[in-house]
Each structure stands twice: as C-alpha cells, then as structure tokens.
Amino acid sequence: MSDDNGLAVYPCISEFPLSTRPRCRLQAALIMLACVQTPAFAANEEPIATDRPDFVESSDVVGNRRLQIETSIARDRTAGHGDTETLWATPTLLRFGISESVELRIESDGALHQRSSVAGHAPITERGHADVSLGMKWHAMDAVGNLPSVGVLLHADLNTGSTAFRGEGTRPTARVVAEWDLPHDLSLGIMPGIGHEKDHGGTTFAIFGLVVGKSLSDRLRGFVEVSSPHIARAAHGGTEASLSVGAAYLLQKNIQIDTAFSRGLNGRTPDSGMTVGLSIKL
C-alpha cells in the first residue's frame, strides 16, 4: 500500500513488528496532520534542506520560528556463523529555529525492536525505546568563493531509554560540517567531530563522515557516503565504518521522501542497513 505524501508511513504500520505498531501509528498520525497543516511556501523560498538520509548533516538551519520534522523507519542486520541480529528503529529528529542562524534539536532512534538468534538457542527479542539527544546547530558561515558553508552542532545523548537500550550517563558530541557546491551539480560534505562516553571506562572518540552528492533534477538528488560515527582503539569500543548510497526526492518544496542503503566496512558495524524517511518543514 502506498500514499502520495507518506512513503515512510505505511511501511511503518504494515511491516514493523506488532509490539511497536501503536507507537508507529501515533507517529504516522502526527506526520499526516503536519501534511494537512503545512503552510504554503513563498515562491522565492528555498526547498527544504534535511539532515537525512545521509550521516553527514546539512550546514543549514531551518530558519527563525520554523519547525522541521524528519522521521523514518530503519533496519540494521548482522549475520555470521549461524548467528543473526536484526534491529528495527524509528529515528526521528525535530528541529526548531530560534533565529535565522540557530536551531534547537531533539533526536532519538525512537521505538526499537531487536531480535537476536544464536545457533542452537531460541531467539531473544528486546523491545523498548532509545535514548533522547538534545542539541543545537549554528549556521556559522555561508559559502563564499572557494570557502564552504559551515555549521556547528553540539549534542548531548541522555540516558532516558529503556533498560535494554539505555546508554551510560550523558554523552556529549561536537561536530563541524563543511559543504561545497562543485561543478556539474555535484556537492561535497565533510563532518569531523569528537564525542565522549562513559562505556569502556570512559573514552573520547572521533567522528568522521564524507559525502558526495549529485543533483539529478530539480527534485531528485543522490549521494555516496563513507561514515564513521565512532573511531577509537579496540579497548575503547573500536571503530565503526560503513559505505552508504541513497537518494532524496522533493514532493513539494517543504516535503521530502528519501531512502538509503549501507554496508558495514568492518566487524564492529552492522553488515547491512536500510532506511526510508519523510521530512516536513512547517
């Protein structure tokens, strides 16, 4: 079943595990309500700029007194030696502009459903919700000449999730995004960063992402990306790395649908991942 304005909504209700469908129905209802109440955009207003589906964030903010909802369904899967682990999530980001250059952010992986199977044993299923992250983004600089557009993000993950998925303590991160527009409708984004967590005795880790985008039409763009959300020594959790491809399509100037697929590049990263999402600017 499909819907002209809700590619991410119907898979959520029909394909997500039964135990978490009520949360997804609420999410879907909020999205459809937002679609109905979305105001008309001025003819000269820029199209929506989202922080998904790629890992590298946009350097742009949503604008003063504007609200942007970015939500999705995501699945990660790892398999090997007869063992499998599948995690379904509903990543959602709320962005609210408090000025033309600063926005506040609330982010979470939402409702979670994890199923682990070990050869010779009955599968184990965990259900719950993820931690919430609070943050802000500052659009520090517009692109000028060969200089990039720059954004700065500060976030803090809070241990608010279900017991099975809760992190330890407050985990701050700081990231800087630089974006360049290149010839032939290409773009380049780089996002280095740093974070701190209390796991593994307490450790500071690096963050890095690089994405190359291509505008295929006025409405459609694609991208290829290499990302590492956690770079550390093995004793401190090791390094996660993945290669992703994806695309985003503008249904309207203020409504975007998207999808992305990823492959893990090492043993600490899920073997494969996929996401389907919807973003709305109000």
Side-chain angles (χ1 to χ4, degrees):
M1 193 175 200
S2 62
D3 182 271
D4 290 341
N5 290 329
L7 184 60
V9 172
Y10 287 92
C12 174
I13 296 174
S14 63
E15 296 181 7
F16 209 71
L18 285 169
S19 61
T20 49
R21 285 188 191 176
R23 289 190 183 95
C24 289
R25 290 192 180 100
L26 176 60
Q27 184 182 39
L30 291 173
I31 293 169
M32 287 187 286
L33 178 63
C35 287
V36 172
Q37 295 184 343
T38 299
F41 264 36
N44 61 348
E45 187 158 358
E46 289 295 317
I48 183 173
T50 66
D51 285 343
R52 57 165 297 109
D54 47 348
F55 173 74
V56 175
E57 312 277 15
S58 165
S59 62
D60 294 329
V61 293
V62 296
N64 191 31
R65 298 184 181 180
R66 303 303 294 267
L67 173 65
Q68 190 159 304
I69 305 167
E70 303 181 16
T71 190
S72 63
I73 300 297
R75 188 193 75 163
D76 289 336
R77 187 174 189 275
T78 300
H81 306 291
D83 303 339
T84 62
E85 182 175 282
T86 303
L87 176 66
W88 287 91
T90 56
T92 300
L93 169 64
L94 303 180
R95 306 167 58 186
F96 181 73
I98 59 172
S99 73
E100 290 301 329
S101 61
V102 177
E103 69 181 30
L104 301 180
R105 301 157 63 86
I106 303 175
E107 188 171 12
S108 176
D109 281 340
L112 302 176
H113 181 282
Q114 181 173 278
R115 181 182 175 88
S116 304
S117 299
V118 178
H121 296 81
I124 299 173
T125 299
E126 297 280 2
R127 303 177 181 90
H129 58 276
D131 287 345
V132 170
S133 176
L134 302 180
M136 59 84 66
K137 184 198 287 188
W138 170 43
H139 179 71
M141 185 175 76
D142 291 330
V144 178
N146 293 325
L147 297 177
S149 175
V150 176
V152 178
L153 295 99
L154 301 175
H155 272 242
D157 293 351
L158 310 178
N159 58 340
T160 55
S162 302
T163 302
F165 305 106
R166 184 182 305 156
E168 185 176 349
T170 300
R171 291 94 65 200
T173 60
R175 293 164 288 166
V176 177
V177 184
E179 293 182 301
W180 290 265
D181 289 328
L182 304 177
H184 309 294
D185 294 321
L186 292 170
S187 62
L188 172 67
I190 298 176
M191 187 178 71
I194 192 169
H196 183 79
E197 60 188 359
K198 295 184 179 180
D199 294 345
H200 313 289
T203 183
T204 298
F205 60 92
I207 301 167
F208 184 77
L210 184 151
V211 61
V212 176
K214 169 72 174 177
S215 294
L216 304 173
S217 72
D218 290 341
R219 292 178 177 263
L220 179 65
R221 66 178 177 89
F223 70 88
V224 178
E225 178 181 63
V226 177
S227 61
S228 291
H230 191 280
I231 304 172
R233 295 179 178 177
H236 298 292
T239 295
E240 301 171 11
S242 61
L243 174 67
S244 304
V245 297
Y249 182 79
L250 289 175
L251 293 175
Q252 300 178 22
K253 274 192 172 183
N254 60 328
I255 302 177
Q256 173 188 285
I257 55 175
D258 61 61
T259 188
F261 302 88
S262 65
R263 294 290 295 179
L265 298 179
N266 62 19
R268 293 188 176 88
T269 310
D271 293 341
S272 63
M274 61 79 63
T275 183
V276 179
L278 171 67
S279 300
I280 302 168
K281 186 174 182 178
L282 303 176

